Amino acid sequence: MTHSRFAALLAPLALAPAVLGEGLLSLQPKAGAPLVGLSPAELELFQTGRQLYVTPLSPLMGLGPIFNKSNCGSCHSTPLGGWGSISVTHFGIEKKGEFVPLDDLGGSLLQSFAINGGCVETVPPEANFTTTRVTNSSLAFGLVEAIPDAAIAANADPDDADGDGISGRVHWVVPLETPKGLPRAGRFGWKAQVATVLSFAGDASRNEMGLTNRLIPTENAPNGDPVRLAQCDTVADPEDIADDDGYDFIDRVTHFQRYLGPPPQTPRSGMAGEAIFTTIGCAACHVPEWTASNDASLEDAIRGKTFRPYSDFLIHEMGLLADGLPQGDAGMGEFRTPTLWNLRTRNPMLHDGRVSGGTFANRVTQAIAAHGPYGEGAASADAFANLPAADQGKLIAFLDSLGRLEFDMDGDNQVTMGDVPQVSDCFGATGVTPDSPCAMADVGRDGDVDAEDVELLRQALGLPEADCNGNGTADLIDIVAGTSKDSDFDGRPDECLPCPADFDGDGSVGAPDLSMVLAAWNTPGADLDGDGNTGASDLAVILGAWGDCP
């Protein structure tokens, strides 16, 4: 076994793949993980769909002839199924406040790639308008789809009857799979122009990858030219056909998106910044909490579950944030309230990605400011700008909790042995509040960081249950409590290692190990004597152990 403390410190350890339950003392799954409570058959559908989500299509499989990407995961990448930084272009003619999508010239969506040079689509010279859109999130689509239409409609106030300046309305949409059925409340896409996960999959497969399917069986012609289409398209439509189990591609990726779980929120609730978020009006549109329908036809993992996406799924007039592109019944200036879960990983921000780079705090501050000075978000943007700096910081800290993993003490979006020293600093702390840095480690939310929390840390790190020194206490608790040292950051107490001074794990103590001690001089990095520092006494230990390990 290799015991290189430097490699172990830097290499992230994967979260345990096992579902950990829904009780108070349980870990929240990482963003991109499946819903808790899926049956084995549903989990298999999720995994198969996930694999196809990242599998590039070929022209023989139906890619193109014009397209934007060859697989879903290229755009929905942070995490897989979530936000992305890839943008697409829309074009048309804007004239006196009216928009003409130039359907006959391939509008409004530009497909930027083609399977060969003769198929390439361009923005036509007739267009005087272009706008870009970055990739939206597909996380927990099954939960979102299961919100009753009536619940979304209950928040609508199209005439601003209460005078609060918020006049969101439902975007009613007929799903592609039921063209003669009743409309449903749209909830997916930047303009809530899609109501169901299957419609989303069918629309994106055809418009972004060129894969015709049973919902949309006709191709996009390059700039609307049927002659070029006939020359470029050699696969019979619809190109998406059932596999041996009877599922089309659009069904498979629907399974994946439908069974994606919600991202974590740490702390799960109670931060002072969320109260400020509500007080200045942000929660009027970014509604924190929803409950899925109790319809008996829904899967157990979805039915009746409460979740926190921070959106009302209504469309609102957004003033200077408008993009000038109508879709369905949504106007040129309207947008659906985007979900905020997993916000801390989103870069760039806003529909066109205009806010990107820099720190999370800077991106959030710019995104909030962009909601003013006109439109339905203006009052909240103005209220945020007038908050004391300390309160702004609290609100930003709350937003930074959306997508944060428990035990991610350093905020790098992963849980590694590098987080353990900070957990150790919090171990035994009492009176822990949601605004305390130690709240990241108080998974039990009982105001202290104790052995029960450390057991969950072990699961998060994927470490085995072990008591290598036989003292009746789990190894990780020994390390976190300071009873044992773990100089090589491998999750095992140093006294259990056959040769602690063998840093590189080659079975002997020699020059490479000496080099590591010298490189870590005056830091805790190669502390062998337990004094918290690497110095002369540790050098003496190295020299005394020189040669082959026992």
Side-chain angles (χ1 to χ4, degrees), residues 93-100 128 332:
I93 293 176
E94 190 279 324
K95 185 176 181 180
K96 296 182 179 179
E98 297 292 330
F99 180 80
V100 180
N128 67 356
M332 299 169 70

Side-chain angles (χ1 to χ4, degrees), residues 17-19 32-51 252 255-256 258-261 299 301:
V19 171
L35 285 166
V36 171
L38 292 176
S39 70
E42 291 159 356
L43 190 58
E44 183 177 356
L45 290 174
F46 172 86
Q47 298 293 2
T48 302
R50 187 183 192 282
Q51 181 177 352
R252 292 295 193 182
H255 295 152
F256 170 64
R258 179 176 177 80
Y259 293 148
L260 275 167
E299 300 89 331

Side-chain angles (χ1 to χ4, degrees), residues 344 346-349 355-364 366:
R344 78 184 314 269
R346 188 172 178 197
N347 184 16
M349 292 182 178
V355 175
S356 63
T359 66
F360 175 78
N362 286 340
R363 291 197 302 276
V364 166
Q366 292 177 57

Side-chain angles (χ1 to χ4, degrees), residues 3 18 37 40 113 137 159 181 184 199 209 212 225 232 245 247 258 280 468 473 487 494 503:
H3 299 296
F113 299 97
S137 173
D159 299 319
R184 287 201 60 190
S199 287
M209 296 186 293
T212 55
D225 186 345
C232 297
D245 294 322
Y247 294 117
R258 179 176 177 80
I280 67 173
C468 70
T473 301
S487 299
D494 288 348
F503 294 134

